[in-house]
Amino acid sequence: MLNYFLTVVREESISKAAAVLHITQPTLSRQLAQLEEAVGVTLFHRGTRKITLTSEGILLRRRAQEILELVDITERELAEQEELIEGKISIGCGELASVGILSELFDTFSKKYPGVNYDLFTANADQIRDRMDNGLTDIGLLLEPVDMDKYDFIRLDMKESWVVLMRPDDPLARKEYVTAADLSGLPIIMVRRPNVQSELASWFGDYFKDLHILFTSNLSTNGAVMVYRGLGYSLVVEGSLPFLDKEKICYRPLFPELTATSVLAWKRGQPFGPAAAKFIEHIKCFLSMSKT
């Protein structure tokens, strides 16, 4: 009824207002009469050419606009309540520089959906992919190369650079970079993933057959402990070392440079909970905007 009243006020005519509201003029007149009866005052001066408001009508117009605005706000808030997202999202990730992008996604998503929390599982890409296949992990941040036939994914622009970890007092620490020849015959801590080993084998070329691989390790932090004890040289991506204590461990880049990319991936056709589904939408939107 308040909407009818405000339409008549705006059009200054019952016939014009009835046309706008798609009702008959008699019906609208009855609605206005009922409104005046309900509030107990006269709201309109009914002239021959147009309708004007009484002082009481002016007051009701102001209040009616406020009421309808409040109704609109309340309806939006109720709609947002229906979109209330809570729950846990399981994320698998390696020790990578691109975890920084993941942290931005968490930050922006949490501001929209504060009821969501996260389970971070840190491992290599093969282990994370196995968990995704078994429905234990929703989304994975994976270092390439990795078989993506069963997954939807977005490749990140950030490059992951391979480096060699060593003690600061090691002779190789005096060099600007490290070559395959420099590492030939030295004890090496190699990554566990076969696909990545193949990439490193290509980089080493003919020197690969002479490598002394003392350890394989799936986490660079554990490899760094072995390096600190003087047990070997660890091949890792630079982004896995954001808080490295350079008085205990240092690193040098490989030459020629060896880089890799990473992807954010999720199982194709997998049914996700509301929180994970929203987070995947957020990933697509956030990364699309960051490229513009």
Coordinates of all heavy atoms in Angstrom, one line a residue, residues 172-211:
L172 N 81.4 -23.9 -2.4 CA 80.5 -23.5 -3.5 C 79.8 -22.2 -3.1 O 79.2 -21.5 -4.0 CB 79.5 -24.6 -3.7 CG 80.0 -25.9 -4.4 CD1 78.8 -26.8 -4.7 CD2 80.7 -25.5 -5.7
A173 N 79.7 -21.8 -1.8 CA 79.1 -20.6 -1.4 C 79.8 -19.4 -1.9 O 79.2 -18.3 -2.0 CB 78.9 -20.6 0.1
R174 N 81.1 -19.5 -2.3 CA 81.8 -18.4 -2.9 C 81.4 -18.1 -4.3 O 81.8 -17.0 -4.9 CB 83.3 -18.6 -2.8 CG 83.8 -19.0 -1.4 CD 85.3 -19.0 -1.3 NE 85.8 -19.6 -0.1 CZ 86.3 -20.8 -0.1 NH1 86.5 -21.5 -1.2 NH2 86.8 -21.4 1.1
K175 N 80.7 -19.0 -4.9 CA 80.4 -18.9 -6.3 C 79.1 -18.1 -6.5 O 78.2 -18.1 -5.6 CB 80.2 -20.2 -7.0 CG 81.5 -21.1 -7.0 CD 81.3 -22.4 -7.5 CE 81.0 -22.5 -9.0 NZ 82.2 -22.1 -9.8
E176 N 78.9 -17.4 -7.6 CA 77.7 -16.7 -7.9 C 76.6 -17.6 -8.3 O 75.4 -17.4 -8.0 CB 77.9 -15.7 -9.1 CG 76.8 -14.8 -9.4 CD 77.1 -13.9 -10.5 OE1 78.3 -13.8 -10.9 OE2 76.1 -13.2 -11.0
Y177 N 76.9 -18.7 -8.9 CA 75.9 -19.8 -9.3 C 76.6 -21.1 -9.3 O 77.9 -21.2 -9.2 CB 75.3 -19.5 -10.7 CG 76.3 -19.2 -11.8 CD1 77.0 -20.2 -12.4 CD2 76.6 -17.9 -12.1 CE1 77.9 -19.9 -13.4 CE2 77.5 -17.6 -13.1 CZ 78.2 -18.6 -13.7 OH 79.1 -18.4 -14.7
V178 N 75.8 -22.2 -9.4 CA 76.4 -23.5 -9.4 C 76.0 -24.3 -10.7 O 74.8 -24.2 -11.1 CB 75.8 -24.3 -8.2 CG1 76.2 -25.8 -8.2 CG2 76.3 -23.7 -6.9
T179 N 77.0 -25.0 -11.3 CA 76.7 -25.7 -12.5 C 76.6 -27.2 -12.2 O 76.9 -27.7 -11.1 CB 77.9 -25.5 -13.5 OG1 79.1 -26.0 -13.0 CG2 78.1 -24.0 -13.8
A180 N 76.2 -28.0 -13.2 CA 76.2 -29.4 -13.0 C 77.6 -30.0 -12.8 O 77.7 -30.9 -11.9 CB 75.6 -30.1 -14.3
A181 N 78.6 -29.4 -13.4 CA 79.9 -29.9 -13.2 C 80.4 -29.7 -11.7 O 81.1 -30.5 -11.1 CB 80.9 -29.2 -14.1
D182 N 79.9 -28.6 -11.1 CA 80.3 -28.3 -9.7 C 79.7 -29.3 -8.8 O 80.4 -29.6 -7.7 CB 79.7 -26.9 -9.3 CG 80.3 -25.7 -10.0 OD1 81.5 -25.8 -10.4 OD2 79.6 -24.7 -10.3
L183 N 78.6 -29.9 -9.1 CA 77.9 -30.9 -8.2 C 78.3 -32.3 -8.5 O 77.9 -33.2 -7.7 CB 76.4 -30.7 -8.3 CG 75.9 -29.4 -7.8 CD1 74.4 -29.3 -8.2 CD2 76.1 -29.2 -6.4
S184 N 79.0 -32.5 -9.6 CA 79.4 -33.9 -9.9 C 80.2 -34.6 -8.8 O 81.3 -34.0 -8.4 CB 80.2 -33.9 -11.3 OG 80.6 -35.2 -11.6
G185 N 79.8 -35.7 -8.4 CA 80.6 -36.5 -7.4 C 80.3 -36.1 -6.0 O 80.7 -36.7 -5.0
L186 N 79.5 -35.0 -5.8 CA 79.2 -34.5 -4.4 C 77.9 -35.2 -3.9 O 77.1 -35.6 -4.7 CB 79.0 -33.0 -4.4 CG 80.2 -32.2 -4.8 CD1 79.9 -30.7 -4.8 CD2 81.4 -32.4 -3.8
P187 N 77.8 -35.3 -2.6 CA 76.5 -35.9 -2.0 C 75.3 -35.0 -2.2 O 75.3 -33.9 -1.8 CB 76.9 -36.1 -0.5 CG 77.9 -35.1 -0.2 CD 78.7 -35.0 -1.5
I188 N 74.3 -35.5 -2.9 CA 73.1 -34.7 -3.3 C 71.9 -35.2 -2.5 O 71.7 -36.4 -2.3 CB 72.9 -34.9 -4.8 CG1 74.1 -34.3 -5.6 CG2 71.6 -34.1 -5.2 CD1 74.3 -32.8 -5.4
I189 N 71.1 -34.3 -2.1 CA 69.8 -34.5 -1.5 C 68.8 -34.2 -2.6 O 68.5 -33.1 -3.0 CB 69.5 -33.7 -0.3 CG1 70.6 -34.0 0.8 CG2 68.1 -34.0 0.3 CD1 70.6 -33.1 2.0
M190 N 68.2 -35.3 -3.2 CA 67.3 -35.1 -4.4 C 65.9 -35.2 -4.0 O 65.5 -35.8 -3.0 CB 67.7 -36.3 -5.4 CG 66.8 -36.3 -6.6 SD 67.1 -34.9 -7.7 CE 68.7 -35.4 -8.4
V191 N 65.1 -34.5 -4.8 CA 63.6 -34.6 -4.6 C 63.1 -36.0 -4.9 O 63.7 -36.8 -5.6 CB 62.9 -33.6 -5.5 CG1 63.2 -32.2 -5.2 CG2 63.2 -33.9 -7.0
R192 N 62.0 -36.4 -4.3 CA 61.5 -37.7 -4.4 C 60.6 -37.9 -5.7 O 60.5 -39.1 -6.2 CB 60.6 -38.1 -3.2 CG 61.3 -38.2 -1.9 CD 60.4 -38.6 -0.8 NE 59.9 -40.0 -1.0 CZ 58.7 -40.4 -0.7 NH1 57.8 -39.6 -0.2 NH2 58.4 -41.7 -0.9
R193 N 60.0 -36.9 -6.2 CA 59.1 -37.1 -7.3 C 59.8 -37.5 -8.6 O 60.7 -36.8 -9.1 CB 58.3 -35.8 -7.6 CG 57.3 -35.4 -6.5 CD 56.6 -34.1 -6.9 NE 56.0 -34.2 -8.2 CZ 55.7 -33.2 -9.0 NH1 56.0 -31.9 -8.6 NH2 55.1 -33.3 -10.1
P194 N 59.4 -38.6 -9.2 CA 60.0 -39.1 -10.4 C 60.0 -38.1 -11.6 O 61.0 -37.9 -12.3 CB 59.3 -40.4 -10.8 CG 58.7 -40.8 -9.5 CD 58.4 -39.6 -8.7
N195 N 58.8 -37.4 -11.8 CA 58.7 -36.4 -12.9 C 59.7 -35.3 -12.7 O 60.3 -34.8 -13.7 CB 57.3 -35.9 -12.9 CG 56.3 -36.9 -13.5 OD1 56.7 -37.9 -14.0 ND2 55.0 -36.5 -13.4
V196 N 59.9 -34.8 -11.5 CA 60.8 -33.7 -11.2 C 62.3 -34.2 -11.3 O 63.1 -33.5 -11.8 CB 60.5 -33.1 -9.8 CG1 61.5 -32.0 -9.6 CG2 59.1 -32.6 -9.8
Q197 N 62.5 -35.4 -10.9 CA 63.9 -36.0 -11.0 C 64.2 -36.0 -12.5 O 65.4 -35.8 -12.9 CB 63.9 -37.4 -10.5 CG 63.9 -37.5 -8.9 CD 64.1 -38.9 -8.4 OE1 64.5 -39.8 -9.2 NE2 63.9 -39.1 -7.1
S198 N 63.3 -36.3 -13.4 CA 63.5 -36.3 -14.8 C 63.9 -35.0 -15.3 O 64.8 -34.8 -16.2 CB 62.3 -36.9 -15.6 OG 62.0 -38.2 -15.2
E199 N 63.2 -33.9 -14.8 CA 63.6 -32.5 -15.2 C 65.0 -32.2 -14.8 O 65.8 -31.6 -15.5 CB 62.6 -31.6 -14.5 CG 61.1 -31.6 -15.0 CD 61.0 -31.0 -16.4 OE1 61.4 -29.8 -16.6 OE2 60.5 -31.7 -17.3
L200 N 65.3 -32.6 -13.5 CA 66.7 -32.3 -13.0 C 67.7 -33.1 -13.8 O 68.8 -32.7 -14.1 CB 66.7 -32.6 -11.5 CG 66.0 -31.6 -10.7 CD1 65.8 -32.1 -9.2 CD2 66.7 -30.2 -10.7
A201 N 67.4 -34.4 -14.2 CA 68.3 -35.2 -14.9 C 68.6 -34.6 -16.3 O 69.8 -34.6 -16.7 CB 67.7 -36.6 -15.1
S202 N 67.6 -34.0 -16.9 CA 67.8 -33.3 -18.2 C 68.7 -32.1 -18.0 O 69.6 -31.8 -18.8 CB 66.5 -32.8 -18.7 OG 65.7 -33.9 -19.1
W203 N 68.6 -31.4 -16.8 CA 69.5 -30.2 -16.6 C 70.9 -30.7 -16.3 O 71.8 -30.1 -16.9 CB 69.0 -29.5 -15.3 CG 69.8 -28.3 -15.0 CD1 69.8 -27.0 -15.6 CD2 70.9 -28.3 -14.1 NE1 70.7 -26.2 -15.0 CE2 71.4 -27.0 -14.1 CE3 71.4 -29.2 -13.2 CZ2 72.5 -26.6 -13.3 CZ3 72.5 -28.8 -12.4 CH2 73.0 -27.5 -12.4
F204 N 71.1 -31.8 -15.6 CA 72.4 -32.3 -15.3 C 73.1 -32.9 -16.6 O 74.3 -32.9 -16.7 CB 72.4 -33.4 -14.2 CG 72.5 -32.9 -12.8 CD1 71.3 -32.8 -12.1 CD2 73.6 -32.4 -12.3 CE1 71.3 -32.3 -10.8 CE2 73.7 -32.0 -11.0 CZ 72.5 -31.9 -10.2
G205 N 72.3 -33.4 -17.5 CA 72.9 -33.9 -18.7 C 73.8 -35.1 -18.4 O 73.4 -36.0 -17.7
D206 N 74.9 -35.1 -19.0 CA 75.9 -36.3 -18.9 C 76.4 -36.4 -17.4 O 76.8 -37.5 -17.1 CB 77.1 -36.1 -19.8 CG 76.7 -36.2 -21.3 OD1 75.6 -36.8 -21.6 OD2 77.4 -35.7 -22.2
Y207 N 76.3 -35.4 -16.6 CA 76.7 -35.5 -15.3 C 75.8 -36.2 -14.4 O 76.2 -36.6 -13.3 CB 76.9 -34.0 -14.7 CG 78.1 -33.3 -15.3 CD1 77.8 -32.3 -16.3 CD2 79.4 -33.5 -14.9 CE1 78.9 -31.6 -16.8 CE2 80.4 -32.8 -15.5 CZ 80.2 -31.9 -16.5 OH 81.2 -31.2 -17.0
F208 N 74.6 -36.5 -14.8 CA 73.6 -37.1 -13.9 C 74.0 -38.5 -13.5 O 73.8 -38.9 -12.4 CB 72.2 -37.1 -14.6 CG 71.1 -37.6 -13.7 CD1 70.6 -36.8 -12.7 CD2 70.6 -38.9 -13.8 CE1 69.6 -37.3 -11.9 CE2 69.6 -39.4 -13.0 CZ 69.1 -38.5 -12.0
K209 N 74.6 -39.3 -14.4 CA 75.0 -40.6 -14.1 C 76.1 -40.7 -13.1 O 76.3 -41.7 -12.4 CB 75.5 -41.3 -15.4 CG 76.8 -40.8 -16.0 CD 77.1 -41.5 -17.3 CE 78.5 -41.0 -17.9 NZ 78.4 -39.6 -18.3
D210 N 76.8 -39.6 -12.8 CA 77.9 -39.6 -11.8 C 77.4 -39.0 -10.5 O 78.2 -38.8 -9.6 CB 79.1 -38.7 -12.4 CG 79.6 -39.3 -13.6 OD1 79.7 -40.6 -13.7 OD2 80.0 -38.5 -14.5
L211 N 76.1 -38.6 -10.4 CA 75.7 -38.0 -9.2 C 75.7 -39.0 -8.0 O 75.4 -40.2 -8.2 CB 74.2 -37.5 -9.3 CG 74.0 -36.2 -10.1 CD1 72.6 -35.7 -9.9 CD2 75.0 -35.1 -9.6

